[in-house]
Every structure is written in structure tokens, then in C-alpha cells.
Amino acid sequence: MNILVIDAQGGGIGKAAVSSLKAAFPDAEIVAVGTNTVATSSMLKAGADHAATGENSVIVCSKDADFIVGPVGIVIADAMYGEITPKMATAIGQSKADRILIPIYHCKNTVVGVQSYQIDSLIQAVIEEIKSRTSN
């Protein structure tokens, strides 16, 4: 199983996701792609098997992923203070991977009907969602 984790800015959400996903799925290949080097470094330190940075990395890695995990902004062009380019959002949106998006409220993007949770609770929900989609 190939899990792609994408994050921007400081990479805090991606770091939490990588660490928890690695613990829950030790045999999975965890690829971390940051929109900047700080985010990438943070996810690599959390235990990602591979890491890369930037627009082209998002485009290339989205093609081979089974799951893409990240804040909801990764599928919205110009989100995360402009770090998500239209090409990134398109590549993620067109990927054949299952997208597991974390509802984070900033940059004027709100998912109504979703309660505000602590990041640890949201990451646990990501793990449960992947488990439900992979256990047959």
C-alpha cells in the first residue's frame, strides 16, 4: 500500500499523519510531499519512507498513490496561503487514489456540518477510514 501525505506551511498536520500512519500501517510505503522544504523536513523526521518537495513532486507522486492524505486545502487551487498551485490541486483531484481529506478551517475554506476536532482525533479518523477501505 502506497500512502501519499501532502502538507504545506510548517507541515504539522503532515507530521502527525505520517507518524500515526506509520504506526498503524508499518508495511505501507509512506511518501511525504511538502509544498516547501520545512513541511517536507517535518514529515521526513516523522518517519516517512520517502520525501520530496514542490509542485512536480505532488503531480508525479499523485499518480502512484493508493491513498492521498492531507488537509482539505490540497484539492483547492491557491489554498494554504497560495502554496497549493492549480496544477497540484488538479493532479490530486484527478488521481485514481482514494483521497482522505482532513477538515482544517483556514484560508476561507470551511466544510459545513463537520465539527471542529483536535488534530489527533482527525488523524485517528484517517487511519480508521483507510482500514475500512483496505480490509475485505
Side-chain angles (χ1 to χ4, degrees), residues 17-105:
V18 167
S19 177
S20 296
L21 288 165
K22 200 64 181 162
F25 305 103
D27 295 331
E29 181 178 31
I30 308 291
V31 178
V33 176
T35 60
N36 61 64
T37 57
V38 173
T40 303
S41 176
S42 181
M43 292 186 285
L44 190 56
K45 288 176 185 174
D49 296 303
H50 309 284
T53 303
E55 180 181 80
N56 196 58
S57 297
V58 170
I59 293 167
V60 170
C61 293
S62 292
K63 294 175 185 175
D64 295 326
D66 296 311
F67 293 94
I68 298 175
V69 174
V72 69
I74 65 174
V75 295
I76 302 170
D78 299 328
M80 301 172 133
Y81 299 103
E83 290 191 33
I84 302 299
T85 67
K87 288 181 181 179
M88 289 176 174
T90 299
I92 295 164
Q94 291 179 343
S95 174
K96 294 190 185 313
D98 287 0
R99 286 164 294 284
I100 312 294
L101 303 174
I102 302 166
I104 302 298
Y105 303 106

